[in-house]
Amino acid sequence: MFTFKRKTLSSVLALTVCAGGAAAQDSGADSEARVLGKVEVTAQKQVQDLQDVPIAVNVLSDEQIQLTGIDDALELANFVPSLNITAVRNPFQSRVAIRGLGTSQNDPSLEPSVGMFVDGVFLGRSGLGMSDLTDIERIEVLQGPQGTLYGKNTNAGAISIITKQPNLEEFEGYIDASVGDFNMRRVTLSATGPLSDTVAFRVSGSIHKRDGYFENAGSGNDTNRADDWNLQGKLLWEPSENLSVLLSGSHVERDTNGSGFDSTFSPLVQAELNAQGLTVPTNDPFDFDIANNTQGAFEMESDSLALTVELDSDWGTFTSITAWNDYEFFTRAD
C-alpha cells in the first residue's frame, strides 16, 4: 500500500515538473496559468488567503492528504516541518511538539502545549485526536504561541482539523478502500446532499482493521493490531444567507492489544531476565521481536456533540460553538 502511494506521488510530481517545463518553453502561454492557486485558511478564525496570514502555517488539503496517504495524526508529522508526534504505550500518553516544545501527557492532569481542534472544538486530551482521520477538508498546523485566538493550551502551537461540510446544492459521496500488509483493511465512506432548500446532511465513517506486527515471545500474541471504527453525522440549516446552524456528532471506538515497542537491553537486564527464566529478545530495535509477559491493551469509546451558529452582519460575523464530549479508555502495558 505504501509503495503504491509513493509511486503515485512520484508520478504526480514528475507530471507537474514536465508541465511546468512545457509552459516555460511556450513564450506565448498565458502568464496567469503559472500563478500559484489560492489557498484559503481559517487560522485566524476567519476565511483568508494563506498569503495574507502573518503566522507560520502549514496547510494540507484534501488532495494532499489523499496523495501522501496520511491516515492519522501520527503520519501528519512526516509532512509538516517542526511538528513531532510520538505515542509509545497508548494514544493518551502521546506527545505533540512544535519547534521542540510540547507536553507528554503521561500524567492525566497535564494540559497539552499544542492544542488540537476539530471544526473549532478543542480536544481536552491529545489522545482524542489520534484516531483515524475521516472526511477531512484540510488540516492547518499553526506554529508558535496561539493563545490570543485559541486559548491557554496553545503556547507551542495548534493543530486545526477541518472536516467536510454538508452540501446544500447536490447529492455526492465516495468510498475509499485500501489493503496492506498484516491483513490490513481500511474502508472510508461519505455521503451528503440536500434534504430541502435550507437543510442538508452529511454522514461519514471508517473501519480500520489490522493484525499485529510485533512478534511477542512472552505472551505468544502479536501486538499492535488495530480494530477501530468511527461514525460522524452533520445536519446543516441555512434559513438565510446570513444565518447558518450546524449540528454535528461523532462516535469513536478503538480496541487494540497494546502498543508494541522494541528496545535494547543492557547486560545487567539480560542477566536478570536469564535469572528469572524469561525470554531474552535480541538487541535489535528494528526486528519487531519483543518478549513481554503481560499482554498490553488499549480500549476507548468517545462520543461528542457540537452546535455551531454563525450570523453575518455589516459589522462582522458572530460565531458560537457549544460542544460536549464524553470519553473513557482502558489501558494496560508491560
Side-chain angles (χ1 to χ4, degrees), residues 203-265:
V203 178
S204 60
S206 71
I207 299 175
H208 177 204
K209 295 180 180 292
R210 185 196 64 236
D211 296 338
Y213 54 87
F214 273 87
E215 294 187 11
N216 189 2
S219 66
N221 296 321
D222 295 341
T223 62
N224 267 33
R225 67 168 172 81
D227 187 3
D228 308 335
W229 68 276
N230 60 71
L231 182 66
Q232 296 84 34
K234 294 183 177 181
L235 192 63
L236 174 66
W237 178 46
E238 288 189 357
S240 67
E241 295 182 354
N242 299 328
L243 178 61
S244 172
V245 180
L246 177 66
L247 176 64
S248 58
S250 67
H251 178 77
V252 180
E253 286 196 18
R254 305 191 64 182
D255 182 7
T256 74
N257 59 345
S259 297
F261 53 95
D262 214 339
S263 59
T264 58
F265 297 91

Side-chain angles (χ1 to χ4, degrees), residues 93-322:
Q93 291 184 341
S94 59
R95 179 179 184 269
V96 182
I98 293 179
R99 295 174 177 173
L101 301 177
T103 304
S104 179
Q105 295 189 288
N106 293 326
D107 186 337
S109 65
L110 294 178
E111 298 286 346
S113 298
V114 177
M116 299 191 70
F117 299 81
V118 176
D119 294 331
V121 177
F122 173 66
L123 303 181
R125 289 294 175 265
S126 300
L128 292 171
M130 295 300 160
S131 303
D132 292 337
L133 299 174
T134 304
D135 213 23
I136 304 300
E137 178 68 29
R138 69 182 182 278
I139 300 176
E140 302 174 6
V141 180
L142 289 69
Q143 302 181 24
Q146 306 296 328
T148 302
L149 292 177
Y150 288 88
K152 70 182 182 69
N153 299 111
T154 57
N155 52 9
I159 299 176
S160 179
I161 301 173
I162 296 91
T163 61
K164 295 181 179 180
Q165 300 302 307
N167 192 333
L168 267 170
E169 304 297 329
E170 60 182 357
F171 288 93
E172 62 178 2
Y174 68 87
I175 298 178
D176 182 36
S178 58
V179 296
D181 293 340
F182 301 98
N183 200 27
M184 193 280 289
R185 299 94 70 202
R186 188 193 302 269
V187 178
T188 302
L189 55 86
S190 176
T192 181
L195 297 176
S196 68
D197 293 339
T198 59
V199 179
F201 77 96
R202 189 175 195 100
V203 178
S204 60
S206 71
I207 299 175
H208 177 204
K209 295 180 180 292
R210 185 196 64 236
D211 296 338
Y213 54 87
F214 273 87
E215 294 187 11
N216 189 2
S219 66
N221 296 321
D222 295 341
T223 62
N224 267 33
R225 67 168 172 81
D227 187 3
D228 308 335
W229 68 276
N230 60 71
L231 182 66
Q232 296 84 34
K234 294 183 177 181
L235 192 63
L236 174 66
W237 178 46
E238 288 189 357
S240 67
E241 295 182 354
N242 299 328
L243 178 61
S244 172
V245 180
L246 177 66
L247 176 64
S248 58
S250 67
H251 178 77
V252 180
E253 286 196 18
R254 305 191 64 182
D255 182 7
T256 74
N257 59 345
S259 297
F261 53 95
D262 214 339
S263 59
T264 58
F265 297 91
S266 67
L268 183 62
V269 174
Q270 288 180 316
E272 180 62 25
L273 292 174
N274 276 320
Q276 295 188 25
L278 300 175
T279 303
V280 182
T282 61
N283 261 354
D284 181 2
F286 302 104
D287 61 3
F288 296 99
D289 289 332
I290 60 177
N292 296 339
N293 60 344
T294 298
Q295 181 64 52
F298 175 75
E299 300 173 7
M300 184 194 80
E301 286 192 19
S302 174
D303 294 288
S304 64
L305 287 173
L307 179 66
T308 303
V309 180
E310 290 190 356
L311 177 63
D312 293 330
S313 65
D314 296 336
W315 52 265
T317 301
F318 172 80
T319 302
S320 171
I321 301 177
T322 304

